Each structure stands twice: as structure tokens, then as C-alpha cells.
Amino acid sequence: MELQFPLILDGATGTQLQKRGYTNEQCAEQWVLEHPEAIQDIQKNYVAAGSNIVYASTFGANRIKLEGNGIRNQTAAYNTRLVGLSREAVGENAMVAGDIAPTGKFLYPIGDLSFENLLDVYTEQAQALEQAGVDLFVIETTMTIPEARAALLAVKSVSEKPVFVTFTCDENGKTLTGTDVVAALVIMQSMGADAVGLNCSVGPDQMLLQLERMAQYAQVPLIAKPNAGIPEMVDGKAVYTCTPEEFAALVPKMAAAGVGVYGGCCGSEPAHIAALAQAVKQAEIKKPASKHMDELVAATEREVFVLPADVDCGDVFPCDEDVMDAIEEAEDSEDAVLSIRIEEADELENFAEGQYAIVKPLCLHCEDAALLEQALRLYQGRALYTGSLSKDELQPLCEKYGLLVR
């Protein structure tokens, strides 16, 4: 399926559901299934306002979130029914996106979840959404790179449909765990995301600043789905005061930064989407144009690094029980890159524990393609590779994990 940009997404779901009686005291997905007329009315209104895509109400319909609400062994059933409601609401007038959102869990050693566990949770939901017949997937309100990577790998394993990824960040462009959104963009687009951007977080003006930073590295269309401004508390309730006209006023600047997908998050209403749709019709959308096409753009989990194509990868450290010492030593060296050699499967545990301390671009040295792939699954950034593996062995790893071969 080939998408034609620009595209108009829907607006807020949560705040619209609240206007129709939802009180946050119940699992949102369960409430929607018990009140189908609410979500269908919301989505019909967004399509009438100009939305090309609506999000199925599957935001919290992964196994971890559902079980947290006492709902067990119903992941497939919930996703199927929720997608069905959206399809019934919009018919052929708009596309339906399978909405995948954070589990709220952290990986070991910060939390108790392994990457493979997380991947399994997202694969279960992605498979259900694919079988339910969604037109595309959206991984949204993402706060950590591991969850974004796991969700993207999960979708890619079950579907060839387009995938959008959006992160939420603070006014400095940092996610909850300190990832710069530029690094998030680099990692996600290198792994095959069809569009990457931001949602929720802030209003259009603050979001624009981060999108302009991301534009310097973008090779895919950017996404802007801001809140309707910063909420003000009135009588204990969050009130969003950004008018539709103010909400759409920055579309020309966003278009100039390469934003090809527009929508609204918390507080936005059909009127905001209508204003967006009208403004986008009049805007000149700039195609993605990274300024670093001739360089190696690597990333740790938190930061992005632009390296010359012939960068010297420096001394190579073994991935033994002293790898943490090697990482600390590399931090103090003048080498631009940290190089680690992985030779045996039992070294992967050392790598898994040490990779979170890496603050320089990582170059992996490995002569076994299967072992290299296991290391790439664990590494929450975009790594370089040097070694003797063939092009045929490396190509799928470059496409799947964004591996840079020098």
C-alpha cells in the first residue's frame, strides 16, 4: 500500500470520550465497547472535518495494559472488535489505523521486562490488528526507544502495511527517559518506519521547534499531532484554549520543515481538524531532505552522532566480563567511536547489561550473522559494523535494524 502525502489524521479521542461520559475510572477500551456510539460519533465527525485516517481505539489494548485492568486472554478479541467499530463508522471514507501505545514497563536492568518479552506482547497485538484488517499501523505516544523498537519490529514481522511512529517529549525535545527526538527519528526511520514525528506533549508552537530540528535528519515525512495548546486547570479540569485558527496557523512552517502528516491530540476537536485540513490544502509540503546523506548518522539510545564515512573506529574491546570498564575507558579516550567485538553467545549477557552505559557511537565487530543480529536486537540505538560478513548476510540486518556498514 502506497500512501499519498500530505495526510490528515484525526484529533483527540480521550478528551472527546470524556465529553460523552467516560470518567477514567474504567478501562477505556472496555468503556468504548460498552458505548460504541460514542467512538463512532467522534470518528464520523473527524472524517467529516477532513481526516483521511482515524485511529482505532486500541491504544491500551496490549496484553500488559489489559491484564492491568483485569482483562485476561482477550487481546485478539478486543483489538478485533475495536477495529470493527472504526471500520463501521468510517466505511470507505477514511483509512483505519491500528493504534499501538506504551505498555508502561521498563526493560531490565531498569525494570523486570526483557526485550523479547516486550516484543512478544507487541507481536500479539500487531497480529490481531493485522487480522482485523487495519489499513496501517500507528505506534504513538511513545516515551522510550525500547518500546518503539519492539513495536516496530513486531509490526514488521506480521505485516507489510505502512507504519507511523510518534514520540512524546518535553519542551527541550527529550522523552521521559532522556532520548533526544532527533535520535528517535534516526533510529525509527533506519528501521523502516514510513513516517516519524511527535504527538501529545505540547502545543503546535513548541512542537514546531522540535520538528525543525528533526527535519535536518529526516528521510521520511514528519508527523505533527500536537495538543490544542498547554492545558489550564479550571475547577479541577484540564481546559485547552488553543483555537482552531491558532492550531492551524503554523502549518506553513511545519510544511516547510517536511511535515507530511497532520493531526491533533489532547483537547483538539473536529473544528481543529477542519482548520488543519484547509491550511494543508494551501501549504507547500517540502519533501524530506536530510542534510547528512553523505555521512554516517549513528545513534545511542539518547543521542545522535554524525560521523564521516571513513571514521576510524579505534581500539576494539572484547565483550567480556570487563566490558563496563572498557566502556568507561572509551568515554575518556579521544576515539570518536566505541568498538566492541562479540565472538560468543555467552557474551551477549555482558553486552545487554553494558549497552545502557554507552555514550559514544557503537561499532560492532562480529563474524557470525546470527550472533550479530542478537546483539542488534539488544542494542537500543543505531550501530555501525565492520567485519568480513558478506553483503547478502548484512543486507537484511541493515533493513531491519538500521545497521550502518563502513
Side-chain angles (χ1 to χ4, degrees):
M1 174 182 175
E2 184 174 349
L3 297 174
Q4 299 296 318
F5 299 94
L7 290 166
I8 307 297
L9 304 172
D10 58 13
T13 296
T15 50
Q16 288 292 299
L17 288 175
Q18 289 170 0
K19 290 185 175 183
R20 290 163 173 79
Y22 175 62
T23 63
N24 294 319
E25 296 177 356
Q26 183 181 5
C27 170
E29 290 71 28
Q30 183 177 355
W31 190 91
V32 167
L33 290 176
E34 293 172 355
H35 303 82
E37 70 287 347
I39 190 64
Q40 291 187 321
D41 182 53
I42 292 167
Q43 294 184 331
K44 287 177 182 178
N45 289 340
Y46 281 137
V47 173
S51 294
N52 307 123
I53 298 171
V54 299
Y55 289 12
S57 298
T58 54
F59 183 91
N62 61 69
R63 184 199 316 156
I64 289 176
K65 283 291 190 180
L66 289 175
E67 288 183 353
N69 283 295
I71 302 167
R72 299 183 180 278
N73 303 317
Q74 295 192 58
T75 301
Y78 263 63
N79 281 275
T80 299
R81 293 171 64 193
L82 291 165
V83 170
L85 290 180
S86 294
R87 182 68 70 193
E88 183 180 309
V90 305
E92 299 299 318
N93 297 316
M95 291 177 279
V96 175
D99 191 350
I100 297 176
T103 63
K105 299 292 185 179
F106 292 96
L107 296 190
Y108 175 84
I110 300 173
D112 57 3
L113 199 65
S114 74
F115 187 76
E116 295 303 321
N117 291 152
L118 188 60
L119 185 61
D120 181 62
V121 168
Y122 280 129
T123 300
E124 179 184 29
Q125 184 181 14
Q127 182 68 61
L129 292 169
E130 173 72 1
Q131 292 179 350
V134 296
D135 297 298
L136 71 158
F137 295 79
V138 174
I139 301 164
E140 66 147 323
T141 320
T142 315
M143 297 178 236
T144 72
I145 288 295
E147 289 207 303
R149 290 182 75 250
L152 183 54
L153 287 171
V155 172
K156 291 284 187 179
S157 73
V158 302
S159 179
E160 296 182 356
K161 292 171 183 172
V163 191
F164 293 173
V165 184
T166 56
F167 289 82
T168 182
C169 67
D170 62 20
E171 64 275 9
N172 297 311
K174 302 290 186 180
T175 69
L176 176 67
T177 50
T179 295
D180 190 307
V181 293
V182 175
L185 163 72
V186 166
I187 295 167
M188 290 296 102
Q189 70 181 8
S190 76
M191 292 177 64
D194 295 276
V196 181
L198 305 174
N199 79 286
C200 201
S201 315
V202 293
D205 50 349
Q206 291 176 305
M207 186 171 284
L208 173 63
L209 298 177
Q210 303 309 324
L211 292 167
E212 289 177 335
R213 292 178 58 234
M214 296 168 73
Q216 307 302 308
Y217 297 82
Q219 298 175 17
V220 296
L222 295 176
I223 304 170
K225 205 173 195 284
N227 290 342
I230 304 298
E232 301 175 4
M233 296 305 296
V234 179
D235 296 329
K237 295 183 179 180
V239 176
Y240 295 85
T241 59
C242 182
T243 67
E245 294 73 23
E246 293 170 335
F247 192 74
L250 294 178
V251 164
K253 290 185 177 180
M254 288 184 175
V259 176
V261 186
Y262 299 79
C265 208
C266 301
S268 59
E269 301 185 354
H272 292 86
I273 298 305
L276 272 184
Q278 186 59 38
V280 169
K281 286 180 182 179
Q282 300 171 1
E284 183 176 348
I285 309 295
K286 181 181 178 181
K287 292 184 178 180
S290 171
K291 297 185 181 299
H292 304 287
M293 296 300 293
D294 297 326
E295 297 161 295
L296 299 173
V297 183
T300 63
E301 183 179 344
R302 291 179 173 81
E303 302 294 337
V304 67
F305 299 86
V306 179
L307 306 168
D310 61 350
V311 63
D312 184 352
C313 290
D315 296 331
V316 182
F317 296 94
C319 195
D320 54 23
E321 64 275 7
D322 297 321
V323 70
M324 283 296 294
D325 293 334
I327 292 171
E328 292 177 6
E329 181 181 335
E331 287 181 25
D332 298 328
S333 76
E334 295 182 359
D335 292 337
V337 174
L338 166 66
S339 291
I340 294 179
R341 177 179 287 109
I342 299 178
E343 297 180 320
E344 304 290 341
D346 58 8
E347 295 175 343
L348 290 171
E349 185 175 347
N350 299 328
F351 180 69
E353 293 184 8
Q355 63 105 5
Y356 290 100
I358 295 173
V359 297
K360 285 187 175 182
L362 172 68
C363 183
L364 289 169
H365 298 249
C366 185
E367 304 307 324
D368 182 297
L371 195 58
L372 177 59
E373 177 163 17
Q374 291 181 64
L376 290 171
R377 289 171 84 86
L378 292 169
Y379 183 57
Q380 302 303 324
R382 188 186 191 192
L384 292 84
Y385 169 81
T386 185
S388 61
L389 290 175
S390 69
K391 181 178 180 180
D392 288 343
E393 291 174 303
L394 290 170
Q395 187 62 32
L397 302 182
C398 294
E399 294 175 356
K400 192 173 183 179
Y401 303 99
L403 182 65
L404 290 161
V405 179
R406 65 169 303 281

